[in-house]
Amino acid sequence: MPGGARAARRISPNLALDQLVAERQARGERITHLGFGESRLPVFPPLAERLAAGASRNAYGPVAGDPGVRAAVAGYFARRGLETDPAQVIVAPGSKALLLALQLVEPGDVFLPAPCWVTYQPQATLAGKRAFGVPVPAHCGGVPEPGALRTAVRAARAAGHHPRLVVLTLPDNPTGTLAPPRTVREVCAVAEEEDLLVVSDEIYRDILHESAPPFLSPAEVVPERTIVVTGLSKSLALGGWRIGVARFPAGPAGERLCADVASVASEVWSTLAGPMQAVAEYAFAEPPELLERLRRDAHLHGAVAGAVHDIVIAAGAECRQPTGGFYVYPDFGPVRDRLAGKGIVDGESLQRHLIEESGIAVLAGVHFGDAPDALRFRAATSMLYGRTRDEQRAAQEAEKPLELPHIADSLAAIRRGFTALTAG
Amino acid sequence: MPGGARAARRISPNLALDQLVAERQARGERITHLGFGESRLPVFPPLAERLAAGASRNAYGPVAGDPGVRAAVAGYFARRGLETDPAQVIVAPGSKALLLALQLVEPGDVFLPAPCWVTYQPQATLAGKRAFGVPVPAHCGGVPEPGALRTAVRAARAAGHHPRLVVLTLPDNPTGTLAPPRTVREVCAVAEEEDLLVVSDEIYRDILHESAPPFLSPAEVVPERTIVVTGLSKSLALGGWRIGVARFPAGPAGERLCADVASVASEVWSTLAGPMQAVAEYAFAEPPELLERLRRDAHLHGAVAGAVHDIVIAAGAECRQPTGGFYVYPDFGPVRDRLAGKGIVDGESLQRHLIEESGIAVLAGVHFGDAPDALRFRAATSMLYGRTRDEQRAAQEAEKPLELPHIADSLAAIRRGFTALTAG
């Protein structure tokens, strides 16, 4: 095909790693896969029933979603202290699509926590924006350190850029921590001072561990400038079903932004698939059996993330205690000298060593916008629940999931790997 | 929400009209809805079975689609004379998403038939491109008149633009016609001369009427520079399920373009929902019962489009004989003087008059990039198959669908409306 020579773009590094691991496993290699942010659990059966029942929804329907699903989502937010009109809601094939649409319609540059989810920065580039990473505080990820954010915004403005958006992830991917209310308020105060919109990515909101601080959404603090996005991929293990949601501010400016995103939606994805809208209508209504499923799954996520946290600490890393989601984000900086003797000098060589020497797949911090030389990576602990549906179901139902043989075995392999990593 | 004042973007005009009509119908108004390009037919039951069986596909899976669905799509193209490796295929939530991704990754400006589908031009704008409309020939829509395309490309280049893409729609929306092989070859020759990539939108390919010329894809003529997009929204009445496909050229440059689109996919929509991939794997394999369904539906589409064509001709319009899809695109220019006496002077006033005076919803040509003063519109005849599933099923099964009372009644209402429109 004619055209100038140009390097191919890469696919998102987390999806690329997942494909690589699947290929190696298919060749018979034994890999402990901590590299992909997916909750490997079965579909909750009532969701499958709604999907099947939604088959007759084959007409295009409204771009933003049918009235029923938008009302259900509005109720979901209202139960969390955010009164919401269904007109403030758009459903879409994943929150990714909504995040991109937001970036396409709102001019100005974007400020991200460093580290942060792999997709924010490439989306900013696709939308023709500059993205600025601001380091997270020591006590949590998912938010830029507030003072550093203020400094970075002012410096960017002085340099001729146009700061407009700040993205928060509550709870966070990749650090697995939830910013406490005080920190959220401080970041919101900076957003207010500097006239930034806040994009609050709350896709892990319904996976809080017992150790989590109270959840405070920026939409409670600066409602007129906060857009919340969420979805069912994480809390209900429906990544492959692609169901996302955005909630826009009330009032004329919020209505305009919502209409702008709907406009982009109409040109890019038309609408969320009708059967998926039927699923979302059920899930966001949160019937008791679903809440019970969420409660049990959150218990599992917390137990396994906590166990991996303890392992990396024992191996000599520093690591924030996970409080939400299903990740840990250790820092092997304290044992840098020992690792250097094995040729491990940065995140990439650490990632490579772990998969080659111990068959442990993780994603280096550099892929999340962290410093390349940082000896940090994300371990997605949600991949440990089992290879088969039976194992996964047993994990969901267990009061003490760490005692299940298949989980205990995986944890033992991880313990061996990290012990070997930092052994003298 | 703070930020500069700015008019909200519009949603795609066809989706907006569909919502308007639905609201008016909900208020009890009787509207003959010819304004929306949707095949109002029930889901073919085996497709619903595949959807339900696909519920367990809740993992993200590969960005471009699972091997099974990509192989099925490759087979679909191979049966149409286009040998295809599964690696040349990407599935996505609708062909819209793929068309946008293509525009995002391939630099340069885009040439469109005028009139053309409402979404190409806004997507070009979203991707930061200039879009140039080139009038279609007298004998068919969906392709720029080849000589005019050459002239327009050269003029654009001389003016400092960067011509790179030409979009063809085979068969066409909005004209409901299929460009014959000679015309396709002529356009491909211009693409070759001027080094343009051809985006061949073949989403109506499996809805050909008995009157259609042979189908020739640009991918058969200039394979190294043609990207084909298609989907199940039209032929299988699955607009609300959002299943689209792209086929990239073989060879290194095609592989690079395919990888680029997969990269964008990974940042915007991750993958086509797993249950929808199960549906697509079945549909693109084209088992005999599905081919029989497609054959019967194509018969229905052709019969009703032909009947509406005859009505507008009898009312004094010029109109190409429909040969594919489910549209007619009449031109009331020959009765311009008579319409002027009723205040109808352009496409918009014609559209408004028809819905206000006769309760007939159509979409004016200007929304498709046609001249604003042209007395042309698109009538989507696929909306006439019935209000209920039973009526729709009867239409699908009828050897003589025009004789069904509900279809005959709708056609009579349309005849009355157009007769009144052009009456002295």
Side-chain angles (χ1 to χ4, degrees), chain B residues 103 106-112 124 127-132 153 156-157 160-167 196-197:
Chain B
Q103 302 228 37
E106 185 65 35
D109 298 313
V110 59
F111 288 74
L112 303 173
K129 292 175 182 304
R130 278 287 297 267
F132 297 89
V153 167
R157 196 173 285 126
H161 300 293
H162 299 90
R164 182 58 180 150
L165 295 162
V166 59
V167 180
L196 305 180
L197 298 187

Side-chain angles (χ1 to χ4, degrees), chain B residues 34-47:
Chain B
L34 303 174
F36 191 54
E38 174 171 282
S39 174
R40 286 250 159 125
L41 290 171
V43 174
F44 185 48
L47 297 168

Side-chain angles (χ1 to χ4, degrees), chain A residues 6 35 51 59 97 103 137 180 193 201 219 225 231 248 294 311 324 332 346 349 375 386:
Chain A
R6 184 164 44 80
L51 181 75
Q103 303 228 37
E193 280 168 40
D201 184 344
R225 58 174 71 247
F248 295 86
L294 288 170
I311 290 171
F332 283 82
D346 55 16
S349 51
L375 296 173

Side-chain angles (χ1 to χ4, degrees), chain B residues 15-70:
Chain B
L15 295 165
L17 179 64
D18 188 51
Q19 292 185 23
L20 174 74
V21 169
E23 286 159 20
R24 292 179 69 153
Q25 286 174 332
R27 290 202 302 268
E29 293 184 46
R30 192 192 154 99
I31 307 276
T32 303
H33 189 3
L34 303 174
F36 191 54
E38 174 171 282
S39 174
R40 286 250 159 125
L41 290 171
V43 174
F44 185 48
L47 297 168
E49 289 163 23
R50 299 299 164 131
L51 181 75
S56 62
R57 299 196 186 197
N58 62 318
Y60 286 85
V63 171
D66 272 319
V69 66
R70 296 172 86 191

Side-chain angles (χ1 to χ4, degrees), chain A residues 247-312:
Chain A
R247 176 193 182 273
F248 295 86
E255 285 166 21
R256 194 191 58 214
L257 188 61
C258 183
D260 282 351
V261 169
S263 165
V264 170
S266 77
E267 307 295 7
V268 183
W269 66 81
S270 290
T271 186
L272 173 61
M276 295 304 173
Q277 293 193 34
V279 170
E281 187 171 335
Y282 165 80
F284 283 100
E286 299 182 295
E289 71 279 8
L290 186 98
L291 289 173
E292 174 62 14
R293 174 78 278 147
L294 288 170
R295 191 191 63 72
R296 282 183 166 274
D297 286 357
H299 173 70
L300 172 64
H301 295 308
V304 177
V308 176
H309 169 263
D310 295 347
I311 290 171
V312 295

